[in-house]
């Protein structure tokens, strides 16, 4: 079985493009892939997001606003994920579409509209959204990202448990992930790539570029 941790900005358009490709890949080939979407927020990812939208890194007010939006959106996603992986995934995609593609401003009202749109239980969502459990789940995600040395989004960590290897492949950045999905665009070639990357992990070095490494 293949397990993918995909670390994303919950309001990021670039992350959405990667999510769509991986979801399409899973659906197209009916692959046994466990996809874990992990919303993250730290100083580096906020700075990176500001650069992508053309904002000055010295704009402290915007930095604060974006940090608050990303944090709030991440908690929304964690609350939605408690209603099932598919519903959490659908909610995240809808959220990124609304903010990243349609340029709608983030708001709590938007989150309520979207959880209804994906068929979620609104009362449960609102209760979970303000719970200690969701806040702790968000902090756990940030700890996982830190332990895996995730410094940018989107980034993926892939495990291929079928080979009996506990090494993961860390792929950083939108361009590198797209490159790999373009190059290994069949079920067989993708599995072969993962097997080649994890085989004899301790003795080998990454072959593609500095954005791909073993952990």
């Amino acid at each position: 079985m293949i397990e993918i941790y995909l670390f994303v900005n919950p309001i990021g358009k670039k992350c959405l493009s990667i999510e769509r490709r991986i979801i399409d890949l899973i659906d197209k080939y009916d692959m046994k892939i466990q996809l874990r979407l992990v919303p993250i927020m730290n100083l580096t990812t906020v700075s990176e997001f500001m650069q992508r939208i053309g904002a000055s890194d010295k704009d402290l007010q915007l930095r604060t606003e974006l940090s608050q939006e990303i944090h709030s959106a991440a908690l929304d996603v964690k609350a939605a994920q408690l209603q099932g992986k598919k519903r959490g995934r659908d909610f995240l995609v809808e959220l990124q579409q609304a903010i990243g593609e349609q340029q709608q401003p983030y708001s709590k009202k938007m989150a309520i509209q979207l959880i209804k749109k994906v068929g979620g239980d609104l009362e449960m969502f609102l209760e979970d959204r303000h719970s200690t459990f969701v806040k702790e789940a968000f902090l756990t995600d940030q700890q996982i990202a830190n332990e895996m040395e995730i410094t940018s989004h989107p980034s993926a960590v892939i495990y291929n448990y079928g080979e009996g290897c506990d090494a993961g492949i860390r792929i950083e950045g939108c361009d590198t992930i797209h490159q790999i999905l373009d190059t290994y665009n069949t079920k067989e070639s993708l599995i072969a790539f993962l097997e080649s990357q994890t085989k004899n992990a301790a003795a080998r070095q990454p072959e593609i570029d500095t954005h791909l490494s073993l952990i």
Side-chain angles (χ1 to χ4, degrees), residues 46 50 54-66:
V46 173
M50 291 180 69
S56 171
D57 195 53
K58 297 179 181 179
D59 190 335
L60 298 182
Q61 181 177 347
L62 179 60
R63 176 182 291 276
T64 300
E65 292 173 358
L66 285 174

Side-chain angles (χ1 to χ4, degrees), residues 24-94:
D24 286 345
L25 183 72
I26 294 172
D27 293 340
K28 181 178 179 180
Y29 294 118
D30 192 27
M31 296 179 70
K32 294 181 179 180
I33 294 180
Q34 184 78 24
L35 176 61
R36 300 182 182 275
L37 295 170
V38 185
I40 61 169
M41 187 204 75
N42 54 48
L43 291 175
T44 302
T45 56
V46 173
S47 295
E48 186 180 75
F49 187 58
M50 291 180 69
Q51 292 175 2
R52 287 180 181 174
I53 64 175
S56 171
D57 195 53
K58 297 179 181 179
D59 190 335
L60 298 182
Q61 181 177 347
L62 179 60
R63 176 182 291 276
T64 300
E65 292 173 358
L66 285 174
S67 297
Q68 292 173 344
E69 285 185 8
I70 294 172
H71 178 256
S72 186
L75 293 178
D76 291 338
V77 172
K78 298 308 297 181
Q81 288 176 340
L82 291 180
Q83 298 191 31
K85 290 181 180 179
K86 184 179 186 304
R87 184 152 294 147
R89 183 184 74 185
D90 292 345
F91 177 85
L92 175 60
V93 169
E94 291 287 345

Side-chain angles (χ1 to χ4, degrees), residues 9-199:
N9 176 358
I11 64 174
K13 182 168 64 174
K14 279 186 173 290
C15 292
L16 175 58
S17 69
I18 294 296
E19 291 161 27
R20 283 173 171 160
R21 291 201 65 179
I22 294 178
I23 291 169
D24 286 345
L25 183 72
I26 294 172
D27 293 340
K28 181 178 179 180
Y29 294 118
D30 192 27
M31 296 179 70
K32 294 181 179 180
I33 294 180
Q34 184 78 24
L35 176 61
R36 300 182 182 275
L37 295 170
V38 185
I40 61 169
M41 187 204 75
N42 54 48
L43 291 175
T44 302
T45 56
V46 173
S47 295
E48 186 180 75
F49 187 58
M50 291 180 69
Q51 292 175 2
R52 287 180 181 174
I53 64 175
S56 171
D57 195 53
K58 297 179 181 179
D59 190 335
L60 298 182
Q61 181 177 347
L62 179 60
R63 176 182 291 276
T64 300
E65 292 173 358
L66 285 174
S67 297
Q68 292 173 344
E69 285 185 8
I70 294 172
H71 178 256
S72 186
L75 293 178
D76 291 338
V77 172
K78 298 308 297 181
Q81 288 176 340
L82 291 180
Q83 298 191 31
K85 290 181 180 179
K86 184 179 186 304
R87 184 152 294 147
R89 183 184 74 185
D90 292 345
F91 177 85
L92 175 60
V93 169
E94 291 287 345
L95 183 66
Q96 291 168 324
Q97 285 177 340
I99 299 173
E101 293 186 338
Q102 301 168 11
Q103 301 297 306
Q104 297 181 34
Y106 169 81
S107 66
K108 294 181 180 179
K109 182 179 179 180
M110 171 188 284
I112 290 172
Q113 291 172 338
L114 294 181
I115 195 66
K116 290 180 180 178
K117 184 175 180 179
V118 300
D121 184 318
L122 177 59
E123 183 177 354
M124 182 185 299
F125 174 79
L126 293 174
E127 182 178 349
D128 290 337
R129 171 62 176 76
H130 299 287
S131 68
T132 300
F133 180 82
V134 162
K135 294 175 182 177
E136 290 177 347
F138 169 77
L139 293 176
T140 298
D141 283 349
Q142 311 319 297
Q143 182 178 355
I144 291 172
N146 184 60
E147 290 174 352
M148 293 185 175
E149 299 181 1
I150 302 299
T151 58
S152 63
H153 51 60
S155 288
V157 174
I158 306 174
Y159 292 94
N160 181 18
Y161 294 112
E163 287 300 294
C165 179
D166 60 1
I169 306 166
R170 181 175 54 234
I171 310 169
E172 298 179 295
C174 190
D175 292 341
T176 306
I177 297 174
H178 274 303
Q179 176 193 347
I180 289 173
L181 294 178
D182 287 339
T183 304
Y184 307 98
N185 55 9
T186 67
K187 179 178 181 179
E188 292 75 18
S189 63
L190 180 60
I191 291 176
F193 165 75
L194 294 174
E195 290 176 352
S196 68
Q197 292 296 310
T198 55
K199 189 176 182 180

